[in-house]
Amino acid sequence: MFFKKKETVAMVDDRLRHIAFIMDGNGRWAKKRSMPREFGHVNGAKTFKKIIRYCGDKGVKIITVYAFSTENWKRPKNEVDAIMKLLSDYIDDAVASVDENNIQLHFLGDMSIFPENIKAKIENAEKVSADKELVLNIALNYGARAEIAHACEVLIKEGKTNVSEDDVTGALYTAHCQDPDLIVRTGGDLRLSNFLLWQAAYAEFYFTDTLWPDLDEREIDKIIDDFYTRKRRYGGI
Ligand code: IPE
Ligand code: IPE
Ligand code: MG
């Protein structure tokens, strides 16, 4: 029996410039395999690279990933250390191949808590990739409430007595890019977990039970196709 292959969007257009991912489910993915949670993060990092590449090839201009929240410090030290090591390795790789990968790196969050060598590494990565095309925002020690409180502090320091929505938007860690069109969360939970609360005002949402390390190109196609069935009204009719 023959089935007509369902059409998938070959390339995205301006309706889908920015996708954000809540990369959740690494721990459960490892647990299912009777492996330590760190093993899930190692495989999650592989998926992260694959998904960034695929979304970039599809014509997505901005990708934001939730890598580590302000609340994730509650986890055991060995797990936190493993995640930080993976991130540090990723930065090294991304910088070494910056001309081929064409990724413009940005880090969203409070970087002041990191040791000097890590801060320097982050600053250098942002600097050497600044002229690249595909914007990749990595939310690290990120919490949306902390981000909004920080934006208020920035505006107070600037001496603002009247604050517009544009002022707040311009003082957030995401000031360099437009709001996400689509926020995808893997791992089956239906919540934002303190991610992009301000920027998500009119985002479309997609929740999947797929655990992050299992997310693949086929499901990205499905998610993009689903996005194109949505009608965004922004309060209009
Ligand atoms: C990855 O998934 C998200 C990070 C905080 C790095 P988790 O580690 O939260 O995996 P689950 O949700 O426990 O399965
Ligand atoms: C959200 O996942 C944070 C990241 C993906 C980095 P969590 O696993 O920390 O979220 P909760 O605790 O289930 O809400
Ligand atoms: Mg989780």
Side-chain angles (χ1 to χ4, degrees), residues 163-209:
V163 173
S164 68
E165 291 187 13
D166 284 348
D167 289 332
V168 177
T169 299
L172 296 173
Y173 296 124
T174 48
H176 58 282
C177 64
Q178 64 177 79
D179 289 342
D181 299 298
L182 173 63
I183 297 179
V184 177
R185 181 172 188 142
T186 58
D189 285 311
L190 309 179
R191 57 176 171 259
L192 278 177
S193 302
N194 204 11
F195 188 49
L196 303 181
L197 298 182
W198 177 276
Q199 300 88 335
Y202 271 105
E204 296 296 324
F205 289 91
Y206 191 100
F207 296 97
T208 170
D209 288 338

Side-chain angles (χ1 to χ4, degrees), residues 23 26 29 40-54 186 210-217 220:
M23 310 187 286
N26 291 351
W29 187 90
H41 296 308
V42 169
N43 283 278
K46 289 182 191 158
T47 300
F48 157 75
K49 287 180 211 159
K50 178 174 76 182
I51 298 299
I52 301 307
R53 206 176 314 119
Y54 191 63
T186 58
T210 302
L211 301 173
W212 176 259
D214 288 330
L215 188 68
D216 62 9
E217 292 90 341
I220 293 291

Side-chain angles (χ1 to χ4, degrees), residues 22-24 66-69 72 75 185 189 191 193:
I22 301 175
M23 310 187 286
D24 197 23
Y66 204 2
F68 195 86
S69 76
N72 288 147
R75 297 185 180 205
R185 181 172 188 142
D189 285 311
R191 57 176 171 259
S193 302

